Amino acid sequence: MAAAPVWSVDPRTGNPREQVAVEATAEEVDRAVRAAHAVRASLADRTVRAAFLRTAAELLTAAGEHIIEAADAETALGPARLTGELARTAAQLKAFAEVVDEGAFLDIHIDHEDATRTPPWPDLRRYKIPLGVVAVYAASNFPLAFSVPGGDTASALAAGCPVVVKAHPDHPATSELCASVLRRAAVRVGLPEDVLVLVHGFEAGIELIRHPLVAAAGFTGSVRGGRALFDAAGARPTPIPFHGELGSLNPVVVTEAAAAERGEQIGAGLAGSMTMGSGQFCTKPGFVLAPAGESGDRLLKSLTDAVSDTEAGALLDHRMRDAFVAGVRERAELPDVQAPVTPGAGGEHTVAAGFLTVPAHLLTADGPHDALLEECFGPVTVVARYASADEITAVLSRLPGNLTATLQTATDGADADASALLAALTPLAGRIIVNGWPTGVAVAPAQHHGGPYPATTSTSTSVGATAIERWLRPVTYQTTPEALLPPELREDNPLNLPRRVDGRRA
């Protein structure tokens, strides 16, 4: 049987653009993983790893015109959005180079022998080592920052792990182009190009998670697809860590005081956030609790005006478009649900932004309206109008885990409900925003992009410096002669690494 072709498709028309590759067979996946596994020792030198990451950033930037052109043709995200995403991707690679240079991620602890302790301490020296080959499953909605050269890849390479990327079918040409740039960057700094390998195809993704030499995996995508891979990772003879980002509703609570103070501003801000990128951000605010009454009405009027002015746009592919149209139709037909701006088909190849409203009390217990508490990928949000604080807490108690949760409160600090609501939102998400919007995830050391299931399948972040921790495991050497110790753990600290000695920062 001939290998299935991989086509690049224009989402603006649904027409194929070009054949980019063919789907990898099981034998080809095996060769890809073995090739990456064979070169893992080449990443041992931190100086070379850092140089590789910086060179990758430089070469991606240099090839920016071609990358953005390819990505726009395959995703319809637009040159402006993709230019910013490419800059973010390059900055992320550079940020991980700084993490590698500093060396704190190794988490070095040295405890000297001490017979006076109870029980006595032997000489113990602990640090973290790379897991091995990491499988990365590229995301649809970020063809650069969460795909081939994105955060999973950058953090895994920074940890010293070779990477095999399963390209997303929505942007195969962009994936091939970015992979070639990263492989060229590796060679430029003296590394084998197989520190990064690319494969295509649904079956290839399944073979990849099952391969015995794959040591961990990172995924960004749907709950259904991610859960299947997560289960496969756990069902292996040797289970492996699976760090998956699966879905998020990203709830927003608007207090009565906030709506009274600046309802029009909040409505406009919500519109901008929920329609950004045609509603295809993983942090899109998809569910809002807003007060019933006059202040809430002003918020909805502002939201209505702003969303009505939003032009129809193409989603990443026609399968997503069809799912969006069907999903919003199903929700809009529920009893007591209204659509001040009707979301749905905007044309043969586009979707129109909109939002739905529902009385919050209909969501306080199991019932036919539960679909409104599930993510709908695309430019739509649900506004639940509450009549009391008890309704807010009752609805929040039924929400699944999220990447983000947002509280819009009075800016004068006199909002009596703020503290209690913040406490109620904190267990629901990995990042809590106050008087802002969740779209936009800064690449910063304190960032956390993760949350309770189904937002993610682990407690880790996929953005920020600590994302590197996903691909490492600790190991301790006990009573080991100096000559046998790794350089990172030797007494004289020849690599000048940050460490804690006998419990104190050295």
Side-chain angles (χ1 to χ4, degrees), residues 12-33:
R12 295 180 173 96
T13 64
N15 295 327
R17 297 177 56 248
E18 59 177 332
Q19 182 179 338
V20 173
V22 294
E23 295 186 356
T25 63
E27 293 76 14
E28 289 167 337
V29 172
D30 179 61
R31 285 199 295 271
V33 175

Side-chain angles (χ1 to χ4, degrees), residues 147-358:
S147 293
V148 174
D152 284 352
T153 297
S155 58
L157 292 170
C161 297
V163 173
V164 179
V165 182
K166 205 289 285 184
H168 196 280
D170 280 353
H171 39 78
T174 307
S175 298
E176 285 284 344
L177 183 53
C178 290
S180 69
V181 170
L182 265 62
R183 286 166 66 86
R184 184 155 45 93
V187 172
R188 182 167 293 190
V189 300
L191 290 171
E193 62 182 8
D194 285 340
V195 294
L196 183 131
V197 187
L198 183 69
V199 296
H200 297 266
F202 177 81
E203 291 298 329
I206 297 173
E207 292 293 334
L208 189 57
I209 199 68
R210 293 173 176 168
H211 198 286
L213 294 180
V214 168
F219 170 91
T220 302
S222 68
V223 173
R224 181 180 178 183
R227 183 55 194 253
L229 292 171
F230 176 60
D231 290 345
R236 292 168 36 128
T238 302
I240 59 172
F242 182 88
H243 303 283
E245 180 189 322
L246 309 188
S248 186
L249 195 59
N250 304 303
V252 178
V253 175
V254 182
T255 69
E256 180 78 49
E261 178 186 81
R262 60 184 200 289
E264 294 85 355
Q265 178 185 339
I266 292 171
L270 173 60
S273 188
M274 59 155 283
T275 61
M276 185 179 293
S278 293
Q280 297 174 108
F281 277 52
C282 52
T283 52
K284 179 201 76 176
F287 181 77
V288 182
L289 281 157
E294 183 182 349
S295 61
D297 291 344
R298 291 201 306 273
L299 187 158
L300 255 63
K301 172 66 166 58
S302 174
L303 177 63
T304 298
D305 292 344
V307 173
S308 298
D309 288 340
T310 303
E311 294 183 3
L315 297 188
L316 293 160
D317 61 39
H318 279 57
R319 176 184 57 83
M320 292 182 187
R321 177 190 175 277
D322 293 344
F324 173 78
V325 172
V328 295
R329 181 188 304 119
E330 172 193 350
R331 289 162 172 80
E333 291 174 351
L334 292 169
D336 298 306
V337 171
Q338 297 182 343
V341 182
T342 303
E348 184 180 359
H349 305 292
T350 60
V351 297
F355 70 97
L356 307 175
T357 65
V358 64

